[in-house]
Amino acid sequence: MQITVLGYWGAYPAAGEATSGYLFQDRNTNILLDCGSAVLSELQKHIEISNLDAVILSHYHADHVADIHCLQYAVMLESLQHKRDRNLPIYAYSKHSQFESLTFEDYTEGIALREESEIAIGDFSFSFIKTVHPEICMAVKITHYGKTAVYTADTEYFDKLTDFSRYADILLCEASLYREYEGKVEGHMSGAQAGKLAAEADVGALLLTHLPRYGNHERLREEAGEYYRGNITLARTALKIRL
Ligand SMILES: [Zn+2]
Ligand SMILES: [Zn+2]
C-alpha cells in the first residue's frame, strides 16, 4: 500500500496546507481517511476525484470533516458529467446529528461505522477502536497484504490503544501537545506519549501527525525519541509512505 499525507495540522491549516487527510492506495483502489480543511484541494494533486472509491471519517470534528460537503458537490458534478458512474460510500459513526448529511441524493452514501465493524474495500481491510476524545472518535487499523498501518485519529493515551497498535508497520499517531501541556488538554496526546505508545506497541515506524499550530515540531520528535528508538518522522504535506 501507499499512504500519502494530504494534511496533518490539528484545528486549522497553515497557508496552502490542510488539516487531517490521508490517501491510502494500491493499483486498483483509492481510499480517503478523514477529509479536513483543504484536503479536497490536496487530494486532486494525487488522484482524480472520480477515482476515489471510499471515504472513512474518524469523527466529526471540523478539522477531520470540513471538506466533506464540497466533496459531495464534486461527486455530484462529476457524475452529471459522466466521469463517475457509482456513488461514493462515506463510512462514519452513525449516532451523530451529522451522519444523515453524509448521504447526498444518489451521489454519496453514509454508511454506519461501529467499533466492531470490519470493512473490506478492494484489497484493504479496516478495523476500529473507540478512542478517548470529547467526541466519539475511531482509531483505524488498515491492513493490506500482511502490512499494517494504525491511525490513532484524535485521542488521549489509553492502554487498549497499545494492543490495537501492536506490531503495526507504521503508527500514524497524533502528537498535538508539547510536554508541558501533557494531561492538561482533554482528548489529545503529547509527542512523548506518542513515543511511549510506539515503543510499547513495538511498531515498525512512527509518524507524528495532527501537529499543533505553535512551537517547534522538532521538539515533538525529540520528546517521542526519549521513549521510541525506531524511525520517527514528522508528517508533512505530500509525504508518501510505501509498505
Ligand atoms: Zn483533530
Ligand atoms: Zn477531534
Side-chain angles (χ1 to χ4, degrees):
M1 72 172 112
Q2 177 173 277
I3 307 165
T4 304
V5 176
L6 302 176
Y8 63 93
W9 292 102
Y12 68 106
E17 299 199 293
T19 64
S20 299
Y22 308 87
L23 178 61
F24 285 77
Q25 293 174 282
D26 66 10
R27 232 171 254 151
N28 305 310
T29 308
N30 300 298
I31 301 157
L32 177 62
L33 182 52
D34 279 347
C35 189
S37 177
V39 164
L40 186 56
S41 174
E42 291 296 327
L43 177 69
Q44 294 169 83
K45 297 176 183 173
H46 303 280
I47 63 165
E48 302 281 338
I49 295 171
S50 53
N51 290 329
L52 187 61
D53 294 294
V55 180
I56 298 173
L57 300 176
S58 64
H59 67 308
Y60 291 89
H61 278 159
D63 52 334
H64 300 255
V65 302
D67 272 6
I68 202 75
H69 298 308
C70 289
L71 175 60
Q72 290 176 314
Y73 289 153
V75 171
M76 174 181 73
L77 291 169
E78 296 215 322
S79 300
L80 294 173
Q81 294 170 76
H82 306 290
K83 290 183 188 164
R84 184 180 187 97
D85 58 1
R86 60 208 161 109
N87 75 7
L88 178 71
I90 304 174
Y91 295 86
Y93 188 70
S94 60
K95 290 179 187 146
H96 191 282
S97 58
Q98 288 182 48
F99 176 74
E100 293 293 314
S101 73
L102 300 179
T103 298
F104 177 48
E105 300 181 11
D106 292 331
Y107 303 114
T108 67
E109 182 185 6
I111 299 179
L113 202 62
R114 294 201 307 270
E115 194 173 24
E116 315 77 53
S117 299
E118 299 266 349
I119 298 173
I121 305 168
D123 292 321
F124 289 86
S125 56
F126 298 83
S127 58
F128 306 89
I129 186 173
K130 269 186 200 161
T131 73
V132 179
H133 197 57
E135 174 107 2
I136 285 185
C137 177
M138 304 281 193
V140 187
K141 187 185 294 181
I142 305 100
T143 308
H144 183 266
Y145 288 104
K147 296 286 184 183
T148 303
V150 169
Y151 169 55
T152 65
D154 286 10
T155 186
E156 280 176 26
Y157 181 85
F158 64 106
D159 285 342
K160 276 189 186 169
L161 193 53
T162 308
D163 286 337
F164 187 73
S165 307
R166 184 99 52 209
Y167 307 135
D169 294 285
I170 189 160
L171 177 64
L172 284 69
C173 189
E174 80 127 284
S176 302
L177 308 173
Y178 297 95
R179 175 164 274 154
E180 58 272 26
Y181 293 102
E182 199 175 293
K184 293 180 182 159
V185 179
E186 197 186 358
H188 290 290
M189 281 204 279
S190 67
Q193 288 173 313
K196 198 170 159 213
L197 173 63
E200 287 175 350
D202 200 7
V203 301
L206 173 61
L207 179 78
L208 299 177
T209 192
H210 200 274
L211 304 181
R213 287 296 318 270
Y214 64 97
N216 178 357
H217 293 162
E218 196 53 44
R219 189 148 74 84
L220 295 169
R221 205 157 73 94
E222 284 165 16
E223 289 170 357
E226 289 172 26
Y227 295 91
Y228 179 64
R229 299 292 166 208
N231 188 280
I232 305 172
T233 306
L234 290 168
R236 59 181 184 274
T237 302
L239 174 68
K240 287 186 193 297
I241 299 150
R242 288 187 182 83
L243 296 178

